Amino acid sequence: MPSDLRIALIHYPVLGRDGKIVSSAVTNLDIHDIARTARTYNIKRYYIVTNLPAQQDVVRTVLHYWINGYGRKHNFSRTQALELVELRSYLEDVIESIESETGKKPIMMFTSARKSENTITFEMARRMIRTSDAPVLVLFGTSWGLPEEIKQLCQYTLEPIRYGSDYNHLSVRAAAAIIIDRLVGEEGGTKS
Amino acid sequence: MPSDLRIALIHYPVLGRDGKIVSSAVTNLDIHDIARTARTYNIKRYYIVTNLPAQQDVVRTVLHYWINGYGRKHNFSRTQALELVELRSYLEDVIESIESETGKKPIMMFTSARKSENTITFEMARRMIRTSDAPVLVLFGTSWGLPEEIKQLCQYTLEPIRYGSDYNHLSVRAAAAIIIDRLVGEEGGTKS
């Protein structure tokens, strides 16, 4: 049974600077960078989750340019990466897509710079991805991170990166790269 | 002896799309993302190397805003990260700075998506960083990567990330994050 690892980048609901729930803007480089990382590590799908129509249009425009437009000729490696992207309005839509595609509910993993009760190590998560017959979906937050209400939907929380450091303000692009590398490493990845 | 790990992001000389030597433009997010990663992993200095005066001005403007300007109040964690940045015109200037600061020539490591003769594993590099009493300088290339003439100056080449993958087009922001995580990990980093 090949492993089935997927990721989602959440723009709503996420925390704002003051801890309130906001809907963040899509960043072009989040689409590209994380798609390139996902493709390098054979991630099966990269869901971009935003509920705002204008932000959805930004994502569609980028995808159209690189998949159907001039970008395909200009730099085909971007096309290959961006073909992994699927746009969804809400996390619930992502879960529904995975269920209807695979017939299984995904195991969901929350990521955060803070520790919590249901935290598992990268080694445990890595083993789970390799042995589970359900898809594993890792969630990444934009803005100031993922809120409690998303954590409630997740079975597990991944341990923070560099928890002992006095500074923990990685960009989501860097955090996603490090987490995916720790989960997949040199050999693994979705094979089918 | 605490380890002394430094990184440099090279904008000249780098390879262009056609394999010729070019001077690439500075990207604002390269400054921020890699500085945040460097600060998280206790990297000692993050050198940005560009020989073009207009590009140097871009770097100076960003640093001034976040270190001396309004950015300091707006988001101090960016200030803490960007204080690690030093702007230099050429790699030779970086080497000279390190020598005059530490009294030692740095051990230089080349990074590339391709393998070469003097390639060492991440584990070997990690041990070298922890045990060497000379500073270790890891070089990252923008555009289409670092050229042969830079490799000639380096004692070692780090093994490629995901060498077995059929796709290797990570962004430099993601590659730097993964490489630094592999070299420093959860506990290490420059301590002084």
Side-chain angles (χ1 to χ4, degrees):
Chain A
M1 179 83 204
S3 60
D4 180 338
L5 179 59
R6 296 159 190 245
I7 58 176
L9 183 69
I10 312 289
H11 296 82
Y12 175 82
V14 289
L15 299 170
R17 150 190 287 280
D18 59 1
K20 296 219 176 76
I21 300 292
V22 300
S23 191
S24 67
V26 167
T27 303
N28 182 41
L29 269 186
D30 286 349
I31 310 176
H32 280 266
D33 273 28
I34 299 176
R36 292 161 73 184
T37 300
R39 182 64 187 79
T40 301
Y41 285 84
N42 292 323
I43 301 292
K44 190 126 180 183
R45 297 262 186 284
Y46 166 28
Y47 299 97
I48 294 183
V49 180
T50 173
N51 64 329
L52 301 179
Q55 297 298 311
Q56 295 178 346
D57 284 346
V58 171
V59 179
R60 281 194 202 99
T61 302
V62 171
L63 295 181
H64 182 79
Y65 176 82
W66 289 100
I67 294 174
N68 314 108
Y70 179 67
R72 191 175 190 95
K73 280 190 185 153
H74 179 65
N75 187 348
F76 185 62
S77 70
R78 296 299 175 96
T79 310
Q80 291 175 291
L82 293 168
E83 279 174 341
L84 293 179
V85 174
E86 292 196 9
L87 175 63
R88 293 291 180 274
S89 298
Y90 297 97
L91 178 55
E92 287 73 10
D93 302 320
V94 175
I95 299 171
E96 207 176 284
S97 301
I98 296 176
E99 278 196 64
S100 78
E101 184 189 329
T102 68
K104 285 167 190 149
K105 269 189 197 309
I107 298 171
M108 300 215 294
M109 296 191 185
F110 186 83
T111 61
S112 168
R114 286 171 294 280
K115 251 187 188 160
S116 72
E117 332 71 54
N118 62 348
T119 294
I120 58 171
T121 64
F122 285 101
E123 190 45 45
M124 286 163 71
R126 193 182 166 104
R127 215 175 313 131
M128 209 176 291
I129 291 162
R130 293 190 174 194
T131 58
S132 162
D133 53 52
V136 174
L137 177 64
V138 179
L139 307 182
F140 296 103
T142 54
S143 188
W144 294 71
L146 293 167
E148 189 62 30
E149 65 187 87
I150 294 281
K151 189 154 86 175
Q152 299 303 330
L153 301 172
C154 294
Q155 285 85 348
Y156 303 101
T157 296
L158 277 174
E159 62 180 325
I161 298 167
R162 298 275 301 169
Y163 188 66
S165 173
D166 65 329
Y167 182 96
N168 214 325
H169 302 280
L170 290 168
S171 73
V172 68
R173 297 167 291 281
I178 293 164
I179 288 173
I180 290 169
D181 183 58
R182 289 188 183 187
L183 292 178
V184 178
E186 205 53 54
E187 300 300 333
T190 299
K191 288 283 159 51
S192 64
Chain B
M1 180 81 205
S3 59
D4 180 338
L5 179 59
R6 297 161 189 243
I7 57 176
L9 183 68
I10 312 289
H11 296 83
Y12 175 83
V14 289
L15 298 170
R17 154 190 286 282
D18 58 0
K20 296 221 175 76
I21 299 292
V22 299
S23 191
S24 68
V26 167
T27 303
N28 182 41
L29 269 185
D30 286 350
I31 310 177
H32 280 268
D33 273 27
I34 299 176
R36 293 161 73 184
T37 299
R39 183 64 186 77
T40 300
Y41 285 84
N42 293 324
I43 301 293
K44 192 128 180 183
R45 296 262 187 284
Y46 166 28
Y47 300 97
I48 295 182
V49 180
T50 173
N51 65 328
L52 301 179
Q55 297 298 312
Q56 296 178 345
D57 283 346
V58 170
V59 179
R60 281 193 201 101
T61 302
V62 171
L63 295 181
H64 182 79
Y65 176 82
W66 289 101
I67 294 173
N68 313 109
Y70 178 69
R72 192 176 189 93
K73 281 189 184 152
H74 179 65
N75 186 348
F76 185 63
S77 70
R78 295 299 174 95
T79 311
Q80 291 175 291
L82 293 168
E83 280 174 343
L84 293 179
V85 174
E86 291 194 11
L87 176 63
R88 293 291 180 273
S89 298
Y90 297 98
L91 178 56
E92 287 72 11
D93 302 318
V94 174
I95 299 169
E96 206 176 286
S97 301
I98 296 176
E99 278 196 66
S100 77
E101 183 190 328
T102 68
K104 285 167 189 149
K105 270 191 199 303
I107 297 171
M108 300 215 294
M109 295 190 185
F110 186 83
T111 61
S112 168
R114 286 170 295 279
K115 253 188 185 158
S116 72
E117 333 70 58
N118 62 347
T119 293
I120 59 171
T121 65
F122 286 100
E123 189 46 44
M124 286 165 72
R126 193 181 165 105
R127 214 177 312 131
M128 210 177 290
I129 291 163
R130 294 192 173 192
T131 57
S132 162
D133 53 52
V136 174
L137 177 65
V138 179
L139 307 182
F140 296 103
T142 54
S143 188
W144 295 70
L146 293 168
E148 189 62 30
E149 65 187 86
I150 294 281
K151 188 154 88 175
Q152 300 303 332
L153 301 173
C154 294
Q155 285 84 350
Y156 303 101
T157 296
L158 276 174
E159 61 180 326
I161 297 168
R162 298 275 300 169
Y163 188 67
S165 174
D166 65 329
Y167 181 95
N168 216 328
H169 302 280
L170 290 168
S171 73
V172 69
R173 297 167 291 281
I178 293 164
I179 287 172
I180 291 169
D181 183 59
R182 289 188 183 186
L183 293 178
V184 177
E186 205 53 54
E187 301 300 333
T190 300
K191 286 285 158 46
S192 64

